[in-house]
C-alpha cells in the first residue's frame, strides 16, 4: 500500500468514526441515517462490481461472480432504500441480519485462517465475535431504536478504527514505482 492509499484509508476511517459520533448525538433520526448509509454503501459497491465486470471480469475465468455480486448488492441497496417508509422494527431486524452475517463471515474466515496457520487469524475471529455480540445485543433491544442506533454506532466506530489501523500495517508485497 502506497502513501496515498494509506492516507485515504485513514481519512475514510476518521469519517466513519465522525459519522458514528454524529449518529450518537442524533439518535432520533439515526435509523434513517443507518438505512441510508447501508443503502449508499451497497449501491456504490454494487456499481463498482458491475463496472469491474463489464470492463475486465467478463473476459476472465470466474468473472460472472463479479456480475452476480454486483446485481445482488444493487438489489439489496434498493431494498434498503425502500425500507425507510415501513415501521422501524423491520429496519432494525434488517440491521441485525447484516451484523449477524458479517460476524459469521468474519468468524468463519478467522477459523479458516487458523487452519492455514496464518499469523493474524485471531484478529478476524475477534472482530467477528464483536459483530456477533452487537447483533445479539441489537436483537435483545430490537424495539428500542435509540439503543439500536448506539449499537450500530459502536460497530461503526470499531470498523473505522480497524480501517485506520489497517493503514499502518506493513505491506507484504514489494511495489515497484
Amino acid at each position: 500500500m502506497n502513501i496515498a492509499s494509506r492516507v485515504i484509508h485513514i481519512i475514510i476511517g476518521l469519517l466513519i468514526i465522525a459519522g458514528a459520533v454524529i449518529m450518537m448525538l442524533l439518535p432520533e433520526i439515526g435509523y434513517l441515517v443507518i438505512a441510508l448509509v447501508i443503502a449508499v454503501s451497497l449501491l456504490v459497491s454494487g456499481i463498482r462490481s458491475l463496472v469491474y465486470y463489464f470492463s475486465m471480469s467478463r473476459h476472465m475465468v470466474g468473472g460472472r461472480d463479479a456480475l452476480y455480486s454486483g446485481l445482488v448488492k444493487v438489489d439489496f441497496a434498493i431494498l434498503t432504500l425502500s425500507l425507510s417508509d415501513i415501521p422501524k422494527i423491520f429496519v432494525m431486524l434488517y440491521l441485525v441480519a447484516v451484523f449477524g452475517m458479517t460476524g459469521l463471515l468474519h468468524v468463519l474466515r478467522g477459523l479458516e485462517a487458523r487452519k492455514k496457520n496464518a499469523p493474524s487469524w485471531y484478529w478476524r475471529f475477534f472482530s467477528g465475535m464483536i459483530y456477533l455480540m452487537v447483533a445479539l445485543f441489537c436483537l435483545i433491544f430490537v424495539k428500542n431504536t435509540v439503543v439500536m442506533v448506539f449499537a450500530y454506532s459502536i460497530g461503526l466506530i470499531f470498523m473505522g478504527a480497524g480501517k485506520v489501523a489497517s493503514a499502518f500495517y506493513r505491506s507484504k508485497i514489494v511495489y515497484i514505482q
Side-chain angles (χ1 to χ4, degrees):
M1 183 180 314
N2 59 14
I3 293 174
S5 61
R6 288 180 195 269
V7 169
I8 289 172
H9 271 354
I10 291 171
I11 290 171
I12 289 173
L14 292 176
L15 286 175
I16 289 172
I17 292 171
V21 170
I22 290 171
M23 277 197 299
M24 284 181 161
L25 294 175
L26 302 170
E28 303 85 31
I29 60 166
Y31 81 97
L32 288 174
V33 174
I34 290 170
L36 185 65
V37 166
I38 290 174
V40 168
S41 63
L42 282 172
L43 189 64
V44 168
S45 177
I47 290 173
R48 190 170 52 188
S49 292
L50 290 174
V51 167
Y52 174 68
Y53 171 75
F54 288 115
S55 63
M56 289 178 49
S57 180
R58 66 179 172 190
H59 304 295
M60 298 165 53
V61 174
R64 285 191 190 156
D65 292 342
L67 174 68
Y68 297 146
S69 74
L71 289 175
V72 168
K73 288 176 187 176
V74 169
D75 286 343
F76 275 123
I78 293 169
L79 173 71
T80 306
L81 282 174
S82 68
L83 287 179
S84 62
D85 293 339
I86 62 175
K88 296 177 185 178
I89 188 98
F90 293 115
V91 176
M92 299 305 154
L93 289 174
Y94 182 70
L95 183 61
V96 167
V98 167
F99 268 125
M101 289 303 294
T102 303
L104 184 65
L105 288 174
H106 279 246
V107 166
L108 291 176
R109 285 181 182 165
L111 292 175
E112 181 184 5
R114 182 178 181 210
K115 285 181 185 177
K116 295 179 181 179
N117 294 325
S120 64
W121 68 270
Y122 55 90
W123 177 250
R124 284 189 187 198
F125 183 78
F126 177 70
S127 67
M129 291 305 291
I130 287 179
Y131 282 122
L132 283 175
M133 285 190 297
V134 168
L136 181 66
F137 185 74
C138 289
L139 190 61
I140 292 170
F141 295 104
V142 76
K143 291 186 179 183
N144 191 347
T145 57
V146 174
V147 173
M148 290 288 287
V149 169
F150 276 105
Y152 184 72
S153 298
I154 289 170
L156 279 180
I157 289 172
F158 180 72
M159 186 174 73
K163 199 88 141 146
V164 170
S166 71
F168 295 106
Y169 290 158
R170 295 198 101 161
S171 181
K172 304 256 193 272
I173 300 171
V174 176
Y175 291 100
I176 300 172
Q177 294 186 7

